[in-house]
Amino acid sequence: MDLDHRPTQLVFFPYPLQGHLTPMLQLAQSLLSLNPSFKITIAHTHFNSPKIESPLKFTLIPIDDGLPVNWQPKGGADLLKLVDTISSNCRAPLFSLLSRLNEEDPVAGFFYDGIMGFAGEVGTELGLKAMAFRTSSATSFAVFANIEKLHEMGYLPIRDFESEERISELPPLRIKDLPAFSSDNSVLESFWAGISQLTKQTKKASALILNSLSALENEALKMIQHDFHIPIYAIGPLNCQISLNLLPEDSKCLSWLDAQPPKSVIYTSFGSLAGMDSSQVAEIAWGLANSGCRFLWVVRPGSVNGYDAAELPSGFMDQVGSRGLVVGWAPQKDVLAHQAVGAFWTHCGWNSTLESLCAAVPMACWARFGDQKVNSRLACGVWRVGLEMGREVERGEVERVVRRLLMEREGEEMRERGRELMQVLESSLEKGGSSYEAFEALVNKLKS
Ligand code: UDX
């Protein structure tokens, strides 16, 4: 790789949620590792400002997001509004910051989370190379790029949310896998319209960066490449270690895992956003207990009916004793890499999915909303390293799935396929691999 020692400034503007911040910082870190002459600036909102623990050589600059101090979303509706709030409040401060930085030291690349289209407009207005980074799968991006076609073909609006009918234009998806956030079509139609508009806007970016690779999502990447006449860099899986936690990690996890036999534990965690109600908590708890298997379960503060601490069913911890541990937040990558972990019950957020693949841990897939349904389909129907679970969590199904993954041959076969896939992912990041080459091309674009 061409190492030239002039400092080249790159500015990153992440979307302030865990599942978006981590991959954006990983992208910055990976570029810095490839070319230490990059000078990295992270422009970030006050809301969820990144507290980076490892000694990264990034300059962090807050910009005013106009949100009340200590504001926290109260539910899905607040989260959906967050993009609009940031779009209207951050445009002017972002513009001033980028112009100031560019005057001080020319900005060779401005990387923004593609769900904040306004940031791309600001970068382009200032004449910068504005690069859209989408943190979810290429397949879900391809769905968003084809909303109009899906309407024309009659797949949208969705008539049956559980329909197994295949979408011929978007193999391997079925109607039930479309990334919906609601089963109310009037809500969904405005979501489709907004996301379709946003996705089209990406066509004006200088480039599109995806945390994926052809070995995982060849069809979708080809489709995007065909429809978008801008450079596409598929640089995934981003897997460098970044200690970025918006919640405090529970340090007990790893020592507890050290005391468990190899491949005996199901790690259970549903990411940073999805919520549950008490009856779902009870189904999960009794399903795990009745499986007889060991488990490490993350119940995020605020995730159960919005309460800080979730109430577990009475008698549950007495029944499971030391074969189960419940924590508020885990060091997920270290947990997945631990030899005691044999399966991951996940909501299939894209980061969790990639982290599971990078550790060759088979998945129980309980997709909750949005792109998670697409990712679950890929894990179960394409890579065949996951078992699909029903939308309504039910203790009998939980018990069966946990046992199939941890105690039956099926789980071992998935682990074997997972190990093969993991090697493919690792070699894509080595010299000559597709992601390495995409990174190299991206670095060359930044230096040109
Ligand atoms: C959501 C979407 O579902 C996802 O597909 C989209 O790309 C981003 O927004 P989220 O719920 O945050 O994501 O899930 P995921 O993408 O899996 O990201 C969660 C991150 O939190 C992962 O990097 C995971 O390692 C981390 N995590 C989660 C922990 O470090 N500890 C935990 O206990 C739980």
Side-chain angles (χ1 to χ4, degrees):
M1 194 149 291
D2 168 36
L3 290 186
D4 142 356
H5 293 290
R6 276 174 308 137
T8 304
Q9 174 160 236
L10 307 181
V11 180
F12 294 76
F13 183 45
Y15 187 60
L17 294 178
Q18 179 83 51
H20 292 253
L21 275 162
T22 304
M24 183 66 99
L25 296 181
Q26 286 175 325
L27 173 64
Q29 174 63 15
S30 301
L31 285 167
L32 188 60
S33 313
L34 287 170
N35 191 331
S37 75
F38 285 143
K39 178 180 155 196
I40 306 278
T41 303
I42 311 285
H44 63 86
T45 56
H46 283 289
F47 167 64
N48 277 348
S49 61
K51 290 164 198 69
I52 302 170
E53 286 151 30
S54 52
L56 294 174
K57 291 192 191 128
F58 297 165
T59 304
L60 300 179
I61 305 184
I63 61 172
D64 190 6
D65 54 26
L67 287 160
V69 179
N70 296 331
W71 178 83
Q72 282 301 324
K74 295 227 164 36
D78 272 3
L79 274 174
L80 285 176
K81 268 193 281 173
L82 184 62
V83 181
D84 295 337
T85 310
I86 293 181
S87 303
S88 41
N89 296 353
C90 294
R91 181 182 281 268
L94 181 67
F95 189 93
S96 330
L97 175 67
L98 283 178
S99 5
R100 175 169 68 76
L101 291 173
N102 197 34
E103 271 163 32
E104 287 166 8
D105 208 348
V107 173
F110 169 55
F111 297 82
Y112 65 99
D113 191 308
I115 72 164
M116 298 186 293
F118 82 94
E121 288 169 1
V122 170
T124 309
E125 220 174 301
L126 287 165
L128 305 178
K129 281 178 199 149
M131 318 247 181
F133 175 42
R134 291 301 292 255
T135 58
S136 51
S137 56
T139 310
S140 58
F141 186 83
V143 174
F144 297 142
N146 279 285
I147 295 293
E148 281 170 14
K149 211 182 270 174
L150 290 171
H151 272 108
E152 282 162 24
M153 311 287 295
Y155 294 113
L156 295 179
I158 299 175
R159 285 181 301 276
D160 173 4
F161 284 84
E162 288 305 315
S163 169
E164 301 266 344
E165 183 187 341
R166 282 179 181 253
I167 300 174
S168 49
E169 289 67 27
L170 288 166
L173 300 185
R174 304 155 299 181
I175 290 181
K176 69 189 276 194
D177 305 317
L178 287 172
F181 285 86
S182 158
S183 51
D184 175 344
N185 265 315
S186 59
V187 174
L188 271 181
E189 284 303 302
S190 77
F191 165 70
W192 300 131
I195 196 88
S196 166
Q197 180 62 27
L198 184 66
T199 309
K200 274 197 209 136
Q201 201 178 14
T202 309
K203 293 184 175 171
K204 297 193 192 134
S206 303
L208 169 64
I209 299 166
L210 290 162
N211 188 8
S212 191
L213 66 161
S214 52
L216 290 183
E217 298 189 276
N218 193 34
E219 289 301 314
L221 286 168
K222 276 203 302 212
M223 195 181 279
I224 298 166
Q225 193 78 65
H226 179 265
D227 294 346
F228 282 62
H229 304 287
I230 56 173
I232 315 268
Y233 300 101
I235 45 73
L238 289 165
N239 197 30
C240 47
Q241 195 73 33
I242 294 263
S243 275
L244 172 89
N245 280 306
L246 298 176
L247 289 167
E249 261 174 28
D250 193 314
S251 57
K252 283 191 298 297
C253 302
L254 298 176
S255 51
W256 181 83
L257 285 171
D258 286 343
Q260 313 305 321
K263 309 282 174 245
S264 66
V265 174
I266 182 150
Y267 169 60
T268 301
S269 174
F270 309 118
S272 68
L273 301 173
M276 293 176 285
D277 61 30
S278 314
S279 66
Q280 290 171 318
V281 171
E283 293 306 308
I284 295 167
W286 291 120
L288 290 171
N290 298 343
S291 73
C293 295
R294 293 176 167 78
F295 62 88
L296 168 60
W297 180 14
V298 176
V299 185
R300 207 181 67 245
S303 65
V304 184
N305 296 331
Y307 296 136
D308 275 353
E311 208 169 301
L312 299 173
S314 96
F316 164 66
M317 282 318 289
D318 292 339
Q319 179 167 329
V320 297
S322 62
R323 80 174 158 86
L325 179 68
V326 181
V327 298
W329 191 254
Q332 181 160 303
K333 281 210 212 170
D334 295 335
V335 166
L336 287 169
H338 197 286
Q339 49 96 28
V341 172
F344 181 14
W345 182 6
T346 172
H347 69 312
C348 291
W350 187 236
N351 297 292
S352 294
T353 305
L354 290 178
E355 288 160 16
S356 205
L357 295 179
C358 288
V361 175
M363 293 169 256
C365 298
W366 185 36
R368 310 299 308 284
F369 52 75
D371 62 320
Q372 299 159 13
K373 303 202 286 169
V374 173
N375 307 338
S376 165
R377 177 66 178 152
L378 294 171
C380 304
V382 181
W383 314 319
R384 298 192 302 125
V385 291
L387 294 178
E388 183 178 322
M389 298 180 73
R391 300 274 181 250
E392 294 305 323
V393 63
E394 187 274 315
R395 64 188 74 185
E397 183 187 28
V398 175
E399 180 185 338
R400 284 189 298 280
V401 167
V402 172
R403 293 177 68 84
R404 279 168 72 190
L405 287 174
L406 286 180
M407 304 183 70
E408 292 176 19
R409 196 178 162 74
E410 206 178 355
E412 193 37 56
E413 285 168 0
M414 282 192 196
R415 258 184 294 283
E416 187 49 46
R417 275 197 289 280
R419 282 190 284 271
E420 284 164 18
L421 197 50
M422 181 178 76
Q423 277 167 9
V424 172
L425 299 188
E426 282 172 357
S427 51
S428 76
L429 293 166
E430 286 162 10
K431 203 169 175 49
S434 70
S435 302
Y436 184 93
E437 286 192 352
F439 257 124
E440 201 166 42
L442 175 56
V443 170
N444 289 337
K445 182 173 172 81
L446 293 168
K447 303 287 276 181
S448 67

